[in-house]
Amino acid sequence: AATMTATMPPSGKPGHARAQITAKTYRKDRWWVGPVLTTLGLAVFIVYATGRVFQQDHYFVEAHHYLTPFYSPCLALQCEPASAMFGTLPFEFPWFLPYALVSLPFLLLFRFTCYYYRKAYYRSIWQAPTACAVTEPHSSYTGESRWPMVLQNLHRYAFYIAVLISVVNTADAIIPLFHGTGGGFGIGVGNLVLIANVVLLWAYTASCHSCRHAFGGRLKSFGTKPVQYWMWTRISRLNTRHMQFAWITLASLMLTDLYVALVASGTITDLRIFN
Ligand code: FES
């Protein structure tokens, strides 16, 4: 460390300016592919989810109690009665209010402030930085310590709300198992879709950096906390795949919603495996 200090110029002092490079980049590889794909992937989800959330239709299959996660919990007075697990508010929602008014803003906050998504949209959309060794369009950098970026710190609180919403999504995946064709236990493709989706949602939520911190942060020693240590090591392992879960769950959310929408609208019939 001593050698580093001696040889590195103190930043910001006259006479120690950075080399002036006018070229945007000397990179010859297709460094822009990553940012472009990221932007496209996020755009597809945002367009699809926005369209569906405001459609206010085809969100529930009454015969098998399939409720899309985009409408859960359904709270508008016009929600189909069986879909409103927690009851409804006493008024009809206008077109611009999502039926899942209490969960969607927090899920949006959770995803928007997620450490991985930040990296994704900082690099691809905001371009700060665009890529390694590529000039970025911004002349200054203030990090996340000032308004409004300081709000990114809300992530740790959004995590706890996301856990509660995942519990609701879990109920949404389990309840349909008891709505088979004859009314009892039954399994259809829709059940498998809902269950797979909720397992992936839990994987995304449990692999969150804030989750890892909640279990193992600010601790000097795990010596007297074997259970916590066990949890933390499991979460740490999942955490290494957080980026994958972030993308997989965007896809699984869209596919789950699409499946429910297709069955609810009568476009396809739910294939029953048992009852
Ligand atoms: Fe991505 Fe928390 S959900 S870091």
Side-chain angles (χ1 to χ4, degrees):
T3 326
M4 289 273 292
T5 318
T7 52
M8 279 182 52
S11 59
K13 291 203 173 166
H16 293 282
R18 284 172 151 194
Q20 292 302 304
I21 300 171
T22 49
K24 213 167 156 38
T25 182
Y26 287 148
R27 287 181 67 168
K28 297 273 190 279
D29 60 330
R30 295 193 298 159
W31 55 266
W32 44 270
V33 171
V36 168
L37 289 180
T38 303
T39 307
L40 282 178
L42 295 176
V44 166
F45 181 81
I46 290 168
V47 169
Y48 179 87
T50 307
R52 279 292 290 148
V53 161
F54 294 112
Q55 187 181 22
Q56 299 189 337
D57 204 2
H58 308 318
Y59 57 89
F60 185 59
V61 179
E62 184 151 16
H64 300 299
H65 212 283
Y66 298 154
L67 176 65
T68 164
F70 289 172
Y71 283 71
S72 177
C74 207
L75 286 180
L77 187 59
Q78 65 265 54
C79 286
E80 292 184 41
S83 71
M85 189 167 40
F86 299 99
T88 63
L89 291 168
F91 57 91
E92 296 208 343
F93 284 14
W95 68 267
F96 55 84
L97 279 190
Y99 285 6
L101 189 62
V102 288
S103 59
L104 293 187
F106 292 107
L107 287 179
L108 197 65
L109 180 73
F110 186 50
R111 296 255 170 181
F112 190 79
T113 58
C114 161
Y115 289 30
Y116 167 68
Y117 287 117
R118 283 190 228 177
K119 173 187 155 186
Y121 63 73
Y122 283 169
R123 291 191 185 181
S124 60
I125 297 170
W126 189 239
Q127 299 194 27
T130 311
C132 271
V134 177
T135 315
E136 63 179 281
H138 309 278
S139 53
S140 64
Y141 174 76
T142 54
E144 294 173 336
S145 55
R146 291 197 214 159
W147 176 267
M149 302 310 278
V150 72
L151 293 180
Q152 298 282 30
N153 288 302
L154 290 175
H155 188 70
R156 66 198 68 168
Y157 308 110
F159 161 71
Y160 293 104
I161 302 172
V163 169
L164 288 179
I165 298 169
S166 297
V167 172
V168 174
N169 293 147
T170 307
D172 289 337
I174 293 174
I175 291 170
L177 288 170
F178 301 95
H179 286 76
T181 310
F185 183 82
I187 298 181
V189 172
N191 294 97
L192 300 182
V193 170
L194 286 168
I195 290 169
N197 180 57
V198 86
V199 168
L200 290 168
L201 287 179
W202 273 115
Y204 172 71
T205 310
S207 64
C208 165
H209 293 258
S210 292
C211 176
R212 185 169 178 264
H213 183 77
F215 278 88
R218 288 180 295 157
L219 265 187
K220 287 206 168 66
S221 163
F222 279 114
T224 55
K225 303 184 181 338
V227 177
Q228 209 171 331
Y229 180 68
W230 187 87
M231 295 289 291
W232 181 79
T233 46
R234 294 310 178 275
I235 293 166
S236 298
R237 232 178 269 171
L238 273 182
N239 180 257
T240 62
R241 308 216 177 285
H242 191 57
M243 179 182 88
Q244 282 94 322
F245 291 131
W247 283 109
I248 292 170
T249 48
L250 285 193
S252 73
L253 278 167
M254 282 193 291
L255 289 175
T256 305
D257 176 80
L258 183 64
Y259 188 84
V260 173
L262 290 175
V263 178
S265 62
T267 313
I268 60 170
T269 313
D270 182 43
L271 196 67
R272 302 304 296 173
I273 298 162
F274 170 75
N275 193 16

